[in-house]
Amino acid sequence: MADINLGGNPVKTSGNLPQKNTKAPNFNLVKGDLSNATLADFEGSKVVLNIFPSVDTGTCAASVRKFNEEASKLENTKVLCISRDLPFAQARFCGAEGLENVISLSDFKDGSFGDSYGLTVITGPLAGLHSRAVVVINEEGNIIYTEQVADIKDEPNYESALAVL
């Protein structure tokens, strides 16, 4: 379990992020049109997993905006914004913000993504949601960067995540 904070108060996650230089665990997430998306759908591309509790919070929204801005500058790179929000809420947010360079995916059905990536919050007021984390996967499906953000209220280190690309 990872020991992280929410506004300075300790919370725990269901595990730890996968290790660098290992194969990324597969996932089955839901797109805005309610179809499924798996890691295999992005094979051959670099993939940034921007993971957060809910797009309806300020820090989560800021991370989606920042990665959207940066994604347009990256070659052969997909940015997946993943939360347990319903796909409709994700689409509403991205549509209202005019965000077209990120792909919103939902883990609302069973939370298996959060469990396999070790980032389901298990204590505190956000229990059941995802912690804030970034995972970068190369074209071969190997993890080349991870960041478990120490306090869920803080933004990730965008520069470090993008530098590995």
Side-chain angles (χ1 to χ4, degrees), residues 11 36 40-42 46 51 59 76 85 88 104 106 111 143 147:
V11 295
N36 291 329
D41 295 336
F42 304 99
K46 298 173 207 161
I51 308 154
T59 305
N76 192 34
D85 290 302
F88 316 114
S104 294
S106 176
I143 296 173
E147 177 191 6

Side-chain angles (χ1 to χ4, degrees), residues 36-109:
N36 291 329
T38 66
L39 183 57
D41 295 336
F42 304 99
E43 189 175 323
S45 296
K46 298 173 207 161
V47 179
V48 177
L49 305 180
N50 175 34
I51 308 154
F52 48 86
S54 175
V55 75
D56 286 324
T57 65
T59 305
C60 300
S63 74
V64 174
R65 287 184 199 107
K66 180 67 173 179
F67 276 118
N68 179 73
E69 176 187 331
E70 296 300 326
S72 65
K73 303 173 190 171
L74 302 172
E75 188 174 315
N76 192 34
T77 302
K78 307 287 187 210
V79 177
L80 311 182
C81 295
I82 303 169
S83 69
R84 297 217 50 202
D85 290 302
L86 290 174
F88 316 114
Q90 293 173 333
R92 174 190 39 77
F93 173 80
C94 289
E97 295 281 329
L99 306 178
E100 299 177 350
N101 299 317
V102 294
I103 300 166
S104 294
L105 297 173
S106 176
D107 190 23
F108 85 96
K109 284 190 175 179

Side-chain angles (χ1 to χ4, degrees), residues 48 50 62-63 65-67 69-71 73-74 134 136 144-147 149 154-165:
V48 177
N50 175 34
S63 74
R65 287 184 199 107
K66 180 67 173 179
F67 276 118
E69 176 187 331
E70 296 300 326
K73 303 173 190 171
L74 302 172
V134 176
V136 180
I144 58 173
Y145 175 87
T146 64
E147 177 191 6
V149 178
D154 293 338
E155 292 184 55
N157 185 335
Y158 304 108
E159 293 77 25
S160 292
L162 295 169
V164 300
L165 296 168

